[in-house]
């Protein structure tokens, strides 16, 4: 309880925890589904626009970056929990995934990334050196 010694109130302060110090753990929650010929990733990006999202593939890592801009007129708010700024998350997809194996769409706050599975024989051929 709040008293004259401390301003800490367990109920009130937990309810309003992270008002100015937001954790990004709630950003980019991801579900991954395995299909017959591909993997699908469903990444939550609420209110993020397509033009503020970037996906890169480098050294076996798929990196998703997103930016959420704060509203221009925000002085009317008495409390804010939503986080704004730049976020990124990396997913290891393996060295054999090529750029052409990846496709993405952003719809209703969910980024869906499809990664085509590569045949083991196809991968093995890429690593064979032909002898002349």
């Amino acid at each position: 309880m709040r008293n004259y010694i401390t301003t800490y109130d367990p109920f009130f302060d937990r309810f309003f925890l992270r008002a100015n110090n937001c954790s990004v753990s709630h950003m980019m929650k991801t579900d991954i589904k395995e299909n017959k010929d591909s993997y699908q990733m469903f990444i939550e990006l609420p209110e993020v626009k397509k033009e503020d999202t970037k996906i890169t593939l480098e050294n076996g890592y798929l990196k998703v970056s997103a930016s959420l801009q704060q509203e221009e007129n925000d002085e009317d708010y008495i409390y804010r929990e939503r986080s704004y700024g730049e976020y990124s998350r990396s997913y290891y997809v393996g060295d054999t995934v090529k750029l052409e194996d990846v496709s993405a769409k952003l719809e209703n706050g969910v980024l869906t990334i499809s990664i085509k599975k590569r045949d083991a024989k196809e991968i093995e051929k890429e690593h064979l050196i032909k002898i002349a």
Side-chain angles (χ1 to χ4, degrees):
M1 285 183 23
R2 289 186 195 262
N3 59 37
Y4 65 93
I5 298 174
T6 181
T7 59
Y8 177 73
D9 180 337
F11 174 77
F12 185 83
D13 289 341
R14 282 182 196 235
F15 183 77
F16 289 105
L17 188 67
R18 297 187 188 111
N20 294 318
N21 186 12
C22 289
S23 168
V24 295
S25 64
H26 67 281
M27 288 297 290
M28 294 191 171
K29 289 183 180 176
T30 304
D31 293 335
I32 301 173
K33 178 181 175 183
E34 183 176 11
N35 299 317
K36 181 181 175 184
D37 57 352
S38 68
Y39 294 99
Q40 280 188 302
M41 301 173 69
F42 303 96
I43 305 169
E44 285 185 0
L45 294 175
E47 297 187 40
V48 175
K49 298 175 186 168
K50 183 168 67 171
E51 56 270 11
D52 295 330
T53 307
K54 180 178 161 186
I55 305 169
T56 58
L57 178 65
E58 190 174 338
N59 298 325
Y61 285 90
L62 188 72
K63 181 178 179 183
V64 178
S65 303
S67 172
L68 183 59
Q69 304 301 318
Q70 193 166 357
E71 297 172 19
E72 293 286 325
N73 187 7
D74 66 347
E75 57 268 352
D76 294 335
Y77 287 92
I78 58 168
Y79 175 71
R80 298 196 81 154
E81 265 189 341
R82 294 184 296 162
S83 300
Y84 297 93
E86 308 250 342
Y87 305 94
S88 68
R89 186 164 175 192
S90 294
Y91 306 86
Y92 184 74
V93 294
D95 295 356
T96 60
V97 174
K98 306 280 187 218
L99 205 53
E100 58 268 13
D101 298 333
V102 181
S103 63
K105 69 177 180 178
L106 181 61
E107 195 171 75
N108 298 325
V110 177
L111 176 65
T112 303
I113 300 175
S114 295
I115 304 169
K116 182 180 134 189
K117 286 183 181 178
R118 304 207 51 217
D119 186 13
K121 292 178 184 175
E122 184 182 326
I123 295 167
E124 187 178 312
K125 285 181 186 177
E126 288 181 5
H127 296 289
L128 285 176
I129 299 171
K130 292 183 182 179
I131 302 172

